Structures are given as C-alpha cells and as structure tokens.
Amino acid sequence: MGVDACRGVISVVERGKYIKAAVNSGKIMQSITEHKGCRASAKTGRASCGSQAGRGDLPVEIWERVKNHPCYSEDAHHHYARMHVAVAPACNIQCNYCNRKYDCANESRPGVVSEKLTPEQAVRKVIAVATTIPQMTVLGIAGPGDALANPAKTFKTLALVTEAAPDIKLCLSTNGLALPDYVDTIVRAKVDHVTITINMVDPEIGAKIYPWIFFNHKRYTGIEAARILTNRQLQGLEMLSERGILCKINSVMIPNINDDHLVEVNKAVTSRGAFLHNIMPLISVPEHGTAFGLNGQRGPTAQELKTLQDACEGKINMMRHCRQCRADAVGLLGEDRSAEFTNDQVMKMDVHYDLEMRKAYQKRVENERVSKVAAGQKELAGVSGEMSAITVLVAVATKGSGLINEHFGHAKEFQLYELSTSGAKFVGLRRVEGYCQAGYGEEDRLSVIMRDIRDCHAVFVAKIGGCPKSGLIKAGIEPVDQFAYEYIEKSTIAWFRAYVGKVKRGEIQHVQRGVPPRWPGDRISAA
Ligand SMILES: C[S@@+](CC[C@H](N)C(=O)[O-])C[C@H]1O[C@@H](n2cnc3c(N)ncnc32)[C@H](O)[C@@H]1O
Ligand code: SF4
Ligand code: SF4
C-alpha cells in the first residue's frame, strides 16, 4: 500500500494537517507493510484484522499504532500492560502540586517511586517484565522528574531498550519546557508517543500553578515563567505533530484555578495536532507536602471531572481511563505489580528476551479481544432495533481482560459504562476504598461506595455478600451478579435490553439518576 492510498483515508479527518504527518511518516508505512495479518483496503482505509473495538473514526494507520497501547486505546487497556522506568529524577520546573520527596511504596500517584534506576538497570527490568508479563507492550519514562530534564539517562535507556526489545513501543512524558530542543532526538530514538503536561495557555493562570522554571541557565518566576513555559509547550507540540509523533496532553484539573480554562487549553492543543487529551483530577492532601496540599487547595469531584471531560469531548479523543500511575508502575493499568520487580528481585531473575513467546501470547490476547467484540456486537444487534431514549450509567467490578471478574468487596475501582441503544460506552472510573477488610465488610465503607456510585443504576460484580447486596438495593442501585466472569459489553447490553423491556411493559419506571454537581466534602479519592 502506498502513500496515496493513505491520503484518501485521511482526507475525511478534520485534524488533516497533523494526521497526514502521522500517516505519512515512514515509520507508520513500514509498520503497515509489516503487519501481515492486516488486509486494509487502500480505498476505504478500513482494517479487516484484529479487534476494531474503540477504533471509532481513526484512520487504519493510526489505529494500528494505538490499538495495543493501554493509554491511547481504552479498549486496549483491558488487555495490554505498560511499565515505567524511573530513570529521570530531576526536574526543570516546579508545579504547586508535585513533591517528589514524599515517597510511599503503598501509594500509587504520579512522581512516586520506590527506587531510581540507571539505564542499565532499567533495561534489565524491562526484559524481566516483558518475559513475566508478555502482554506488556509499552515502556514509558514518566519521571519521577522530567524525561527531558534528564536527557542523557532518558535517551540512553531508550536506545538500550530498542536494541534489546525492538517490539516494545516507547513513550516519554514531559512538562514541555525543553521539548523544542529535543524533537529531532525523539524522532531518532524511535519514540512512538509523547505526553506533554499542559495546564494553561494563559500565563496569568500559569503563575498560580508554577512558582518557577529553570530555563537557559536562569530561574524565572511569575507570569514571565508561565509565558516562557506555555510558548515552549505549544511550540514543542506543533513540532512533534508535524513529525508524525502522536501526542497526548495531560492537564491537571485544579478547581477555581484552571477548571474553566481547560476548555481553552483543549482548543489550543486540538488545533496544534494533539491526538488525545487526558484531563486528570488534582491529587492534593497536606501529607504529601505540596504547595497546594498545604494551602488547602481541593481536587475536583468525580462529577466535576466528568462534566469537564464531556464539555471537551468533540474533535479530540478524551482519555477517561487514566490511573495516574507511579513513575515505576508495572502491569495492567488497574493493577500495580511494581513490588514484584524491585532491583534486587530483577538482579536475581534469569532474564532472557523471547520475542516468539511474546508474539504467541499476544496473538491469544488478540483472539480473546476479537471474541469479546463479536459477543458485544451480537448482543447489540438485539437492542439497537429498540426505539428508546433511555440512557443509564452502570458500574462494573473488573480485574481486566474485559470481564466482570472482581468481587464487590475487593474492588478498588469501578469502571463506568453508559448504556443506550448505541451500546455500552466506557465513560470513566470511580476509585473506592475496598469494602472488605481482612475478610470482613465495613459498614462505613459501604455507605461511601454507595455515595461514590450514586449516579449508577446497577453495579455488575463477580460475587457479592448478602449485607452489601441489601444495602445497595435499599439505595436503589441494583447489584447484578448473574454475569460473573462474562464479557462486560455483552452482559451490560443484555441487562440494558431487559431493563428497557421492563420499562416498556410498565413493570418499572425509569428514573434518571441525577447527582448534585458538588457533594459537600466530596473528593476523588487519591489512591
Ligand atoms: C510526575 S509527572 C512526570 C512527567 C513530567 N514531569 C510532567 O510533569 O509531565 C507525570 C504526570 O503526573 C501529573 N501529576 C503530578 N503530580 C500530580 C498531582 N498531585 N495531581 C495530579 N496530577 C499530578 C503531572 O502533571 C504529569 O502530567
Ligand atoms: S513537571 Fe512533572 S516532575 Fe516536574 S514538578 Fe511538575 S509534575 Fe513534578
Ligand atoms: S498515568 Fe495515565 S497515561 Fe500514564 S501510564 Fe498511567 S494510565 Fe497511562
């Protein structure tokens, strides 16, 4: 397939200029040619290989690049894992929400690591993880400081990994200050995806988030610092987009500082070719010792976050499944296996990179993914003929693989799906404190969980005890355990179909479950 064929595909894509750059980059064309199972039609650009779940309107070439990336494809995050290596300790700016000195092994949040690694230690760890978790497809450098404030360590690590494990996709995260200086190096290092944190495009707002930056051997503060930062971030984003690198923008939502302004940020990054926008809630507690934590700045509620994400949904894809991972995270996004891969443990492991074993395992994962999609589509065929304006939100307890496979009492998070006659759409996550502690249910925790999922009509679980079951029913949330270990989409659509049927027959009355925009004292839990 040639370049012209791809141009036909992208002419329908609004962000034409930058998508064209991504599609025309030699690397993508090579990856398409190498993708033997794919019989993409040159005329339509529609792929006939593998799972199409979550592809939406993406050109097939772009989909091929993101379909196994757990952060860039919501569907992939059920099946594929990522890892971060903590080789970049230093930072060139200060954010009022970041304190990398506060480390806690039991905590999962950005900037936290148990141990920092040299590039050589990092590549050994990558091989160890790739062998133990063959569905690990992506390596990211996300701190604990800034990847580009530590360029020697970052690019040495990426070079060593490319040599040892050429099938692993490479990512890095940066605040963007140094980005314009490293675009060529990033392209040469074969980095697939770059994340830039952009919290403002207005320096007056920036001055409330960044106390200082260090640029060209000089420290800047206030509005001047924020102006330099925003100019460099947007310039770096444009340069990467023109070179065909897929960019994700992280924005931290800080109530009363940049919450309303993030719609402007969304527009600015969309027009400069960003691929994905990830608006994340501020994590802020005094124990972390951050400026915001100490001055009482709150994070947004789950509903405030969803409302803002909905307002930005449009031309750019919104990421809603981010887990705000540690800088040494390992595993599927919803799990953290970093404790299994400490440097001591990795040094003792017999590490050997087996590409064929990884390919065979990933083929099995892909087959499972295809079955899941087919099952969901079959169920949807039954419901899509129904004329109904009803939309309901449901919560699902899952450990991954697209299955309802977690007990209510053990769930640390629920995945939220919006059900309608168009199908089951993933719309976000709710983190909760597990109901079961040392084998016993905690009454207090049940009421907090019920509050956290109060906008849901039902909660799908693999198993649930009698007490929480009756508590949920009393609160008007239906506990559904009849689909244990079955696929999420297929089961939730089947339930929705039955629900609509009962409403139509007058057996139940549909009530839209509203929630107050702000619940007193309501926060998104940080861990
Ligand atoms: C630890 S940083 C490392 C990469 C890079 N230094 C940066 O800031 O983009 C990874 C991400 O975590 C976010 N982050 C750090 N502390 C946070 C907090 N307290 N609440 C929410 N997000 C936070 C950053 O904004 C960034 O998007
Ligand atoms: S840029 Fe990243 S590492 Fe640096 S202070 Fe901000 S969040 Fe922390
Ligand atoms: S922090 Fe978000 S974007 Fe980064 S690896 Fe975790 S889930 Fe993916």
Side-chain angles (χ1 to χ4, degrees):
M1 184 164 64
V3 171
D4 285 337
C6 291
R7 287 201 175 118
V9 176
I10 57 161
S11 62
V12 296
V13 177
E14 290 222 51
R15 282 170 290 143
K17 178 177 156 199
Y18 296 114
I19 297 271
K20 198 177 275 184
V23 169
N24 286 345
S25 80
K27 195 158 112 192
I28 304 171
M29 297 314 299
Q30 188 191 356
S31 83
I32 298 161
T33 319
E34 283 172 357
H35 191 76
K36 296 195 175 61
C38 179
R39 297 183 302 279
S41 151
K43 284 225 169 79
T44 64
R46 298 206 180 284
S48 59
C49 62
S51 163
Q52 296 296 292
R55 185 184 146 203
D57 295 333
L58 287 183
V60 67
E61 296 79 7
I62 304 289
W63 174 239
E64 283 302 319
R65 282 174 81 185
V66 300
K67 73 174 192 179
N68 295 350
H69 193 310
C71 308
Y72 278 67
S73 155
E74 188 281 314
D75 186 68
H77 104 272
H78 297 282
H79 306 276
Y80 291 97
R82 55 73 185 100
M83 70 179 290
H84 289 160
V85 283
V87 294
C91 195
N92 47 3
I93 72 172
Q94 180 61 55
C95 305
N96 277 332
Y97 49 71
C98 180
N99 175 12
R100 298 182 308 284
K101 289 193 190 109
Y102 180 89
D103 285 358
C104 170
N106 296 321
E107 207 189 10
S108 186
R109 73 182 164 88
V112 172
V113 289
S114 293
E115 51 191 7
K116 289 157 197 150
L117 301 178
T118 63
E120 290 74 15
Q121 289 168 330
V123 72
R124 192 177 166 87
K125 180 169 174 175
V126 171
I127 298 170
V129 173
T131 309
T132 317
I133 309 176
Q135 69 273 42
M136 189 276 283
T137 50
V138 173
L139 166 73
I141 298 180
D146 195 84
L148 298 181
N150 302 262
K153 288 180 193 156
T154 293
F155 291 108
K156 184 164 185 197
T157 303
L158 296 176
L160 292 176
V161 172
T162 304
E163 201 179 311
D167 63 319
I168 291 180
K169 282 189 204 308
L170 305 177
C171 300
L172 58 83
S173 291
T174 176
N175 57 50
L177 181 62
L179 183 55
D181 304 331
Y182 287 102
V183 168
D184 286 341
T185 319
I186 287 171
V187 173
R188 272 200 304 275
K190 297 193 173 75
V191 172
D192 282 286
H193 306 80
V194 171
T195 298
I196 315 168
T197 302
I198 303 186
N199 296 319
M200 54 84 207
V201 288
D202 174 347
E204 289 200 13
I205 294 177
K208 296 178 190 163
I209 303 172
Y210 305 103
W212 56 260
I213 68 165
F214 194 76
F215 179 59
N216 280 346
H217 313 288
K218 197 174 152 195
R219 199 175 166 103
Y220 294 84
T221 58
I223 292 180
E224 192 185 12
R227 182 170 294 118
I228 295 169
L229 182 62
T230 179
N231 289 342
R232 299 278 292 176
Q233 289 173 331
L234 296 178
Q235 184 193 355
L237 168 61
E238 279 194 17
M239 290 169 76
L240 286 176
S241 301
E242 275 162 11
R243 303 292 292 270
I245 305 274
L246 293 183
C247 296
K248 170 163 74 62
I249 306 303
N250 279 357
S251 298
V252 181
M253 180 181 180
I254 311 163
N256 305 320
I257 292 188
N258 72 348
D259 43 357
D260 295 337
H261 176 64
L262 285 180
V263 176
E264 286 309 308
V265 171
N266 179 270
K267 284 185 196 149
V269 301
T270 302
S271 68
R272 287 168 177 82
F275 176 77
L276 191 63
H277 195 183
N278 176 22
I279 298 183
M280 317 185 291
L282 171 73
I283 299 169
S284 180
V285 290
E287 305 87 274
H288 295 162
T290 63
F292 281 156
L294 293 171
N295 77 14
Q297 171 64 53
R298 71 172 181 95
T301 65
Q303 281 75 31
E304 285 170 336
L305 179 68
K306 183 172 181 300
T307 304
L308 177 59
Q309 288 170 332
D310 288 348
C312 292
E313 188 89 58
K315 287 184 185 157
I316 191 170
N317 306 301
M318 297 301 296
M319 180 178 188
R320 295 173 190 251
H321 61 284
C322 180
R323 304 308 203 281
Q324 298 182 280
C325 309
R326 299 163 56 91
D328 56 6
V330 172
L332 290 170
L333 296 194
E335 66 181 7
D336 183 13
R337 295 181 60 178
S338 55
E340 289 172 46
F341 298 95
T342 62
N343 209 22
D344 281 353
Q345 283 158 310
V346 167
M347 291 313 287
K348 283 184 220 144
M349 287 181 187
D350 180 19
V351 300
H352 163 67
Y353 199 72
D354 187 343
L355 185 58
E356 289 312 310
M357 180 277 285
R358 282 174 52 77
K359 276 191 191 161
Y361 190 94
Q362 289 178 19
K363 197 164 176 221
R364 285 207 301 279
V365 171
E366 208 50 40
N367 288 343
E368 191 176 305
R369 196 173 168 187
V370 171
S371 313
K372 180 194 81 169
V373 174
Q377 279 170 351
K378 200 167 156 208
E379 201 61 53
L380 186 58
V383 78
S384 56
E386 306 252 5
M387 289 303 291
S388 171
I390 293 176
T391 302
V392 299
L393 207 56
V394 297
V396 178
T398 174
K399 285 194 274 202
S401 303
L403 298 167
I404 301 163
N405 55 3
E406 181 65 289
H407 292 204
F408 177 82
H410 301 166
K412 295 268 172 50
E413 66 173 31
F414 290 98
Q415 298 197 356
L416 260 56
Y417 284 80
E418 199 171 72
L419 308 178
S420 70
T421 48
S422 319
K425 184 183 170 212
F426 175 90
V427 289
L429 293 166
R430 295 282 160 82
R431 289 178 179 182
V432 294
E433 287 201 53
Y435 168 68
C436 271
Q437 293 299 310
Y440 295 98
E442 293 268 339
E443 266 316 301
D444 291 353
R445 290 195 174 180
L446 180 61
S447 49
V448 176
I449 294 171
M450 290 191 308
R451 191 199 68 186
D452 286 343
I453 57 168
R454 62 190 176 270
D455 45 354
C456 296
H457 275 74
V459 55
F460 288 70
V461 295
K463 207 169 177 184
I464 183 166
C467 283
K469 203 172 198 172
S470 53
L472 284 163
I473 292 169
K474 265 193 219 144
I477 302 169
E478 182 185 337
V480 183
D481 55 3
Q482 82 219 49
F483 298 108
Y485 302 97
E486 291 191 30
Y487 290 127
I488 296 171
E489 276 90 351
K490 174 180 173 284
S491 308
T492 52
I493 296 167
W495 175 88
F496 179 69
R497 199 173 163 187
Y499 179 86
V500 171
K502 284 186 218 161
V503 174
K504 283 194 170 161
R505 291 191 298 277
E507 290 165 26
I508 55 170
Q509 202 188 352
H510 173 66
V511 181
Q512 202 63 45
R513 294 183 70 100
V515 285
R518 191 169 296 172
W519 191 271
D522 195 1
R523 302 270 175 102
I524 292 183
S525 59

